[in-house]
Amino acid sequence: MSGALDIKAPGLKGDNSAFAFDVERVREDFPILKREVYGRPLVYLDNAASAQKPRQVIQAMTDCMENHYSNVHRGVHRLSQEATDLYEAGRSKLARFINAGSDDEIVFTRGATEAINLVASSLGSTLKPGDEVIFTQMEHHSNIVPWQMLRDRTGITLKAVPITPEGELDMEAFDELLTPKTKLVAVVHISNALGTINPVKEIAQKAHAVGAKVLVDGCQALPHTKVDVRDLDVDFYAFSGHKMYGPTGIGALYGKKALLDALPPYQGGGEMIASVTLEKSTFKAAPHRFEAGTPAIVEAVGIGAAVDYLNGIGMDKVAAHEEGLLAYATQQLEAIEGLTLHGRARDKAGILSFTLDCAHPHDIGTIVDRMGVAVRAGHHCAQPVMDAYGVAATARASVGLYNTKAEIDALVEAIKTVKDFFG
Ligand code: 7TS
């Protein structure tokens, strides 16, 4: 196929972004997309919950386990050195992917949830009653609950930025909430429930002007768009591997080096110490001071392979493909009578939350599943968003780089079947 995408095999580096985006070629990389569900081709539109894995990621992890596996950072033997090199290479790839200042600014965690809890625990231990943390009504529960738990432990004050009917952050309200008492602003980059892309660069500038730090939950952003943490000038950036075509069990916290080094450790144990006596311990510098115990070694290799994979395509091409799908899906869904789309931000990613006036979201999810279409139904761990729209739940289709217009058509057909069933 002339001009077609040539995704490289694992281990081979190179930027293929000069090639055209050929979605059929991309789909070949994802073995699971060949399977059927209830006798119909799988249409996977639940990428915001977790994305499928290309064989390049699967093979890189298998290769690590078959040929290079050992514990890391502690062995003098050959395999331990190879495993350590592979593990650290995963860190380097992530650092370059988000344009961190150095590899030391990437702390491996279990995922975004643990990355946020790390900040809430470590930075949280430096806060005092009267200090304020601002989050937003658009957060996933993982960027709400840790702050409420911290408030209950320390007596800090929490403030929430409301959202507009279109599903954007109310920036005037944000300006009013922000004061010299604000120590941290915790905000989602792209909302998992609405698809809204938030102005995190502007938020960071404003927060820094009052001396506050900024933590961005980038879970939904990294798989879909180019992220440059230094251009955004955020202090912390949290994300998960499994949403960016990598494995579960790994993610990372980006943090500015000076900030990470100044924070107390999160968990204690092996590998994070400089020295231990029965009386006291001293700790390594970041990132190792935050990585107690044996880490997710094979998964670090997998997330590195996912970065190679995305770089091989080019994030500009991924974003453009998904923008096309979003525009098409929005147009198609809007044409369905009785369907309400929730979240109409001007700057939006490929997430379509909707309700039907004739059917509950769980019924929508169950019936479209019988037609091979996987969407999520529920509150999407964003109950305050549901409250804002006065609904208990929505059905949500979320696109990934391998989705096609034909799959959007399949979704639309499936929704029409739901309407016929209940209508
Ligand atoms: N932040 C956002 C914006 C998310 O979408 C999610 C997961 C998380 C944090 C938590 O990520 P984890 O990997 O630590 O669990 N979101 C979803 C979702 O939308 N449906 O299932 C999980």
Side-chain angles (χ1 to χ4, degrees), residues 45-49 140 192 243 352-354 361-362 364-365 368 373-382 394-398:
L45 290 169
D46 194 18
N47 295 285
H140 185 276
N192 69 315
K243 295 192 202 278
L352 298 115
S353 254
F354 61 93
H362 285 111
I364 301 173
V368 303
V373 181
V375 298
R376 184 165 175 196
H379 53 57
H380 317 297
C381 300
T394 68
R396 181 190 67 184
S398 49

Side-chain angles (χ1 to χ4, degrees), residues 136-410:
T136 85
Q137 190 169 6
M138 207 187 283
E139 301 309 308
H140 185 276
H141 294 166
S142 60
N143 207 16
I144 297 177
V145 183
W147 305 112
Q148 293 173 339
M149 290 165 64
L150 178 68
R151 176 203 55 201
D152 295 346
R153 279 202 308 276
T154 62
I156 61 163
T157 301
L158 296 182
K159 292 174 167 179
V161 184
I163 53 181
T164 66
E166 291 73 36
E168 296 180 353
L169 287 180
D170 182 338
M171 291 300 285
E172 277 176 28
F174 172 64
D175 291 345
E176 278 167 27
L177 293 175
L178 196 63
T179 75
K181 288 187 188 166
T182 312
K183 297 298 171 217
L184 182 82
V185 177
V187 61
V188 69
H189 197 167
I190 297 183
S191 158
N192 69 315
L194 299 171
T196 310
I197 303 176
N198 286 317
V200 289
K201 188 170 177 172
E202 180 190 342
I203 289 171
Q205 274 165 1
K206 289 181 169 172
H208 290 155
V210 300
K213 305 289 180 238
V214 176
L215 162 68
V216 174
D217 170 359
C219 240
Q220 299 293 347
L222 275 194
H224 304 299
T225 184
K226 178 90 199 115
V227 171
D228 180 333
V229 288
R230 279 192 287 173
D231 176 55
L232 296 174
D233 194 24
V234 298
D235 300 291
F236 302 103
Y237 197 94
F239 55 95
S240 293
H242 68 99
K243 295 192 202 278
M244 48 186 283
Y245 310 100
T248 51
I250 193 154
L253 174 71
Y254 158 81
K256 287 181 181 166
K257 179 76 164 94
L259 286 176
L260 288 179
D261 278 338
L263 288 183
Y266 170 51
Q267 293 176 334
E271 286 310 300
M272 49 76 76
I273 52 88
S275 70
V276 177
T277 66
L278 289 180
E279 285 72 38
K280 71 186 269 284
S281 305
T282 58
F283 309 117
K284 283 182 178 156
H288 301 290
R289 72 159 56 197
F290 297 108
E291 294 180 4
T294 298
I297 300 162
V298 181
E299 290 74 13
V301 173
I303 202 172
V307 167
D308 286 344
Y309 185 78
L310 287 169
N311 282 335
I313 295 175
M315 288 311 294
D316 48 343
K317 296 211 165 45
V318 172
H321 175 68
E322 293 184 7
E323 274 164 28
L325 287 175
L326 172 67
Y328 182 68
T330 304
Q331 188 192 46
Q332 296 300 307
L333 292 188
E334 271 175 341
I336 300 176
E337 222 187 291
L339 184 147
T340 307
L341 262 181
H342 302 283
R344 298 173 156 279
R346 285 160 291 183
D347 208 2
K348 194 180 158 176
I351 289 173
L352 298 115
S353 254
F354 61 93
T355 47
L356 283 178
D357 57 11
C358 64
H360 190 277
H362 285 111
D363 294 329
I364 301 173
T366 307
I367 294 174
V368 303
D369 175 52
R370 285 279 162 175
M371 302 184 70
V373 181
V375 298
R376 184 165 175 196
H379 53 57
H380 317 297
C381 300
Q383 281 184 341
V385 173
M386 303 295 118
D387 292 345
Y389 287 97
V391 295
T394 68
R396 181 190 67 184
S398 49
V399 305
L401 54 79
Y402 37 63
N403 289 124
T404 64
K405 281 190 174 176
E407 290 185 309
I408 302 298
D409 292 339

